[in-house]
Amino acid sequence: MNKEDNLPNTMEEASIESRIVSITEAAKINNVTRQAIYVAIKQGKLRAHKDASRWTIDLEELENYRNQKYSRTKSMHNGELVFDNCRGYYSVNQAARMLDVPAQKIYYATRIGVLKAVRKGAAWVIHIEDINQYREIYLGKRVSKEDAM
């Protein structure tokens, strides 16, 4: 690195520097907090190097972390996807977004028995037919009252 103008001396140095990011930059890239990146490093889930007082992360390592990161959409139960949207199975949060209601309303509807849901491991799973039925029967009433006013 050329100290006078802060420019790399060689192409190799330039390509190495462009592949390295800080915790702050990694957090922006992954759309998470700096703390989430720091925790991933401390737990050994994300490889990083500490230069004096600053953590640096190779973009390739960040990509590996992102690909291996836990995601509910990839959750398996008895060898099958828990939330297999292709087959019509959705999470409570997905159903809430589809119905444009808070997730707590979905949990409450399942608890009182007006929306059918089943447990797969630790997750509640709702079939699209049950979501549509709930929309027609229970949310349809709400819409018709609003229209009457």
Side-chain angles (χ1 to χ4, degrees):
M1 180 74 90
N2 188 340
K3 290 182 182 176
E4 289 102 33
D5 53 12
N6 284 337
L7 295 175
N9 287 331
T10 65
M11 286 299 288
E12 182 179 306
E13 209 174 284
S15 66
I16 289 171
E17 284 187 17
S18 64
R19 292 180 39 221
I20 303 293
V21 293
S22 67
I23 287 180
T24 303
E25 294 165 327
K28 286 179 184 176
I29 291 168
N30 275 14
N31 200 25
V32 296
T33 63
R34 292 180 71 237
Q35 186 66 27
I37 297 294
Y38 183 74
V39 168
I41 292 168
K42 286 298 180 188
Q43 290 178 343
K45 295 178 182 178
L46 174 59
R47 290 182 54 194
H49 305 284
K50 192 164 188 178
D51 301 331
S53 64
R54 181 182 150 162
W55 285 99
T56 57
I57 304 161
D58 188 300
L59 284 175
E60 190 173 322
E61 292 296 336
L62 191 61
E63 182 67 25
N64 290 341
Y65 167 71
R66 194 174 21 244
N67 291 338
Q68 294 175 357
K69 187 177 169 188
Y70 170 77
S71 169
R72 287 195 75 166
T73 59
K74 299 177 199 171
S75 293
M76 302 288 275
H77 180 71
N78 294 336
E80 293 182 356
L81 279 174
V82 174
F83 306 115
D84 190 351
N85 298 156
C86 296
R87 292 181 45 209
Y89 296 103
Y90 294 88
S91 71
V92 168
N93 287 325
Q94 289 173 321
R97 280 193 301 275
M98 290 167 61
L99 297 169
D100 196 29
V101 298
Q104 287 304 315
K105 184 175 186 86
I106 302 300
Y107 281 114
Y108 181 73
T110 60
R111 190 169 64 246
I112 65 172
V114 297
L115 177 58
K116 184 181 171 192
V118 295
R119 294 283 281 200
K120 283 192 179 178
W124 284 103
V125 180
I126 307 168
H127 195 271
I128 189 67
E129 291 174 5
D130 298 315
I131 294 169
N132 290 334
Q133 182 180 13
Y134 178 77
R135 177 187 286 129
E136 291 170 18
I137 296 172
Y138 295 99
L139 297 182
K141 289 179 183 176
R142 186 182 79 186
V143 171
S144 62
K145 285 181 185 176
E146 291 172 356
D147 290 340
M149 292 182 163

